[in-house]
Amino acid sequence: MKPQEASECCGPIDDLLDAELFKALGEPTRLKLLSCLAKCGRPCSVTELTECCAVDFSVVSRHLSLLQKAGVLTATKEGRTVFYAVRYKHLTEAFRALAKSIEDCRPKRRSAKK
Amino acid sequence: MKPQEASECCGPIDDLLDAELFKALGEPTRLKLLSCLAKCGRPCSVTELTECCAVDFSVVSRHLSLLQKAGVLTATKEGRTVFYAVRYKHLTEAFRALAKSIEDCRPKRRSAKK
DNA sequence: TGCATATTTGCGTCGACATGCAAACTTACC
DNA sequence: GGTAAGTTTGCATGTCGACGCAAATATGCA
């Protein structure tokens, strides 16, 4: 069987392999922001999060916006301040589902029993 | 507590947020290659995998090499042919661990309010 | 040795993106 | 209204990476 023909042999891995999500997480500054936000355990403002990394606050603003678009964070505006928070449940479920779909693709060794 | 000071409140999320891995997965062509390889369920050669996507085989070779460096694939040379295979177990465990560390960071709602 | 197959590597090009700065925009407070 | 604080956006710059092509390398076979 050719690789490109194997389209139905396992779970919805294509839907779970989200390039936008991985691209969003594949940048050190954004990863640092996510880490700070996750460990802090509460919503933080752009200004607060700027203290986490050594870039301009405008850069932080863009990174946070991108992480929100990718489904990693939520944004809530209160007055002049925007609070970003980690989408814990969403991320946890996404990675668990991905892990399972990869696991399900793994060919089981066919020994005596099926 | 400032975001950058919250360093010990939860699991080893920093070690699990691997920029190299996410960067490797944050590219559509590489994601397609991984998907083809995972669904195929057996090791495939560079030439075979070139049929999966619309780029030159030299590009595919570079992508596969990068995916190997990132810990996504293994490479085994047999004669002139290099067979790439998905590291199912490794990826599954990595994503499960990441999911757990994110989940552990999630603040539990405190019964009485403090 | 000579040739074919499979893959890697060097190189040039082009587009995407991270960054900083300044300006614009939004909201709160006087 | 006017000013300050918080954030977003426009713009210019520099870097990185995906791509194709050609050349080089490695291996198998006659």
Side-chain angles (χ1 to χ4, degrees):
Chain A
M1 175 170 51
K2 294 182 181 177
Q4 74 278 18
E5 294 172 349
S7 51
E8 307 302 340
C9 53
C10 59
I13 191 172
D14 285 307
D15 296 329
L16 298 171
L17 288 176
D18 182 358
E20 188 188 6
L21 171 63
F22 291 127
K23 190 173 292 185
L25 297 179
E27 208 282 323
T29 303
R30 281 194 291 269
L31 228 40
K32 177 69 176 168
L33 289 168
L34 172 58
S35 167
C36 285
L37 209 38
K39 290 191 290 189
C40 194
R42 61 168 177 83
C44 293
S45 70
V46 176
T47 303
E48 274 182 315
L49 288 167
T50 299
E51 301 174 30
C52 288
C53 48
V55 295
D56 194 77
F57 64 91
S58 67
V59 175
V60 173
S61 173
R62 265 186 265 257
H63 279 318
L64 294 172
S65 172
L66 192 152
L67 285 169
Q68 184 201 358
K69 281 193 185 68
V72 177
L73 306 179
T74 61
T76 307
K77 188 165 187 176
E78 291 185 16
R80 323 172 256 209
T81 307
V82 177
F83 287 99
Y84 284 93
V86 178
R87 294 182 62 183
Y88 295 101
K89 187 161 184 288
H90 179 258
L91 287 179
T92 299
E93 289 174 354
F95 287 126
R96 288 238 165 86
L98 179 56
K100 173 158 176 45
S101 80
I102 292 172
E103 189 174 57
D104 289 345
C105 282
R106 185 185 188 189
K108 309 306 175 209
R109 61 180 46 74
R110 40 185 107 163
S111 50
K113 67 283 186 90
K114 94 142 217 52
Chain B
M1 176 170 52
K2 294 182 181 177
Q4 73 277 20
E5 293 171 350
S7 51
E8 307 301 341
C9 54
C10 60
I13 190 171
D14 285 308
D15 296 329
L16 297 169
L17 287 176
D18 180 359
E20 188 188 7
L21 171 63
F22 291 128
K23 191 173 291 186
L25 297 178
E27 208 281 322
T29 303
R30 281 194 290 270
L31 230 39
K32 177 69 175 169
L33 288 168
L34 172 59
S35 166
C36 284
L37 207 41
K39 291 191 289 189
C40 194
R42 62 168 175 82
C44 293
S45 69
V46 176
T47 303
E48 273 181 317
L49 288 167
T50 298
E51 301 175 29
C52 288
C53 49
V55 295
D56 194 76
F57 64 93
S58 67
V59 175
V60 173
S61 173
R62 266 186 262 257
H63 278 319
L64 294 172
S65 173
L66 192 151
L67 285 169
Q68 184 201 357
K69 281 193 185 68
V72 177
L73 307 178
T74 61
T76 308
K77 188 165 187 177
E78 291 184 15
R80 322 172 256 206
T81 306
V82 177
F83 288 99
Y84 284 93
V86 178
R87 294 182 63 183
Y88 294 101
K89 188 163 183 289
H90 179 259
L91 287 179
T92 299
E93 289 174 356
F95 287 125
R96 287 238 167 86
L98 178 56
K100 174 158 175 47
S101 80
I102 292 172
E103 189 174 57
D104 289 344
C105 282
R106 185 184 188 187
K108 308 309 174 205
R109 62 186 88 276
R110 16 188 126 156
S111 46
K113 63 281 179 145
K114 134 124 214 45

